[in-house]
């Protein structure tokens, strides 16, 4: 969370924004720059929270956390339609070993979404 009395870093600002935007979405708990994003649901929730997001993502509660490649592909394809610069692809998340995507890549990706979602 953002430290009191100090100017927040962009990393902290984006984390707090992502937590707020995804609050209340089932199976989404944004707490870090690694595992919170691995199943694709946090990305889908961010996109779904956009005014056009429901049309692009569909019924959020029908998404399955056990299908990360499908969720990530859906999120990144939907983000493209909102004008978000693509930083990552579903293939960047090899799920046999967890979520080895570098936190800086995730941060950059979320930053691009942040630019396009009011």
């Amino acid at each position: 969370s953002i430290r009191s009395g100090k100017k927040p870093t962009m990393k902290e600002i984006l984390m707090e924004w992502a937590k707020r935007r995804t609050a209340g979405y089932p199976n989404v708990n944004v707490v870090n720059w690694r595992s919170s994003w691995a199943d694709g649901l946090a990305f889908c929730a961010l996109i779904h929270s956009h005014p056009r997001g429901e049309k692009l993502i569909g019924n959020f509660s029908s998404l399955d956390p056990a299908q990360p490649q499908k969720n990530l592909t859906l999120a990144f394809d939907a983000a493209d339609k909102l004008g978000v610069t693509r930083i990552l692809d579903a293939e960047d998340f090899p799920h046999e070993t967890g979520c080895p995507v570098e936190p800086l890549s995730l941060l950059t990706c979320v930053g691009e979404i942040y630019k396009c979602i009011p």
Side-chain angles (χ1 to χ4, degrees):
S1 78
I2 295 179
R3 301 162 290 170
S4 61
K6 294 185 179 181
K7 184 177 178 183
T9 65
M10 184 52 77
K11 183 177 180 179
E12 291 169 330
I13 290 168
L14 290 174
M15 178 59 68
E16 292 300 317
W17 172 79
K19 286 178 181 181
R20 280 193 314 275
R21 293 299 293 214
T22 61
Y25 280 91
N27 299 311
V28 177
N29 185 24
V30 175
V31 295
N32 61 42
W33 291 109
R34 284 207 181 262
S35 60
S36 296
W37 307 91
D39 65 10
L41 292 181
F43 288 113
C44 285
L46 285 178
I47 301 302
H48 192 268
S49 74
H50 184 277
R52 291 181 17 227
E54 188 172 354
K55 182 177 181 182
L56 296 171
I57 296 296
N59 179 2
F60 187 88
S61 62
S62 70
L63 299 177
D64 183 354
Q67 296 183 322
Q69 294 298 111
K70 182 178 177 184
N71 299 333
L72 290 161
T73 298
L74 176 64
F76 296 145
D77 288 350
D80 286 344
K81 293 174 182 160
L82 294 177
V84 175
T85 301
R86 189 177 287 234
I87 303 296
L88 297 170
D89 287 300
E91 296 76 28
D92 294 322
F93 293 78
H95 288 89
E96 308 78 50
T97 57
C99 183
V101 176
E102 286 295 319
L104 184 56
S105 296
L106 287 171
L107 178 68
T108 304
C109 182
V110 172
E112 290 300 315
I113 296 170
Y114 177 80
K115 290 179 190 176
C116 293
I117 295 182

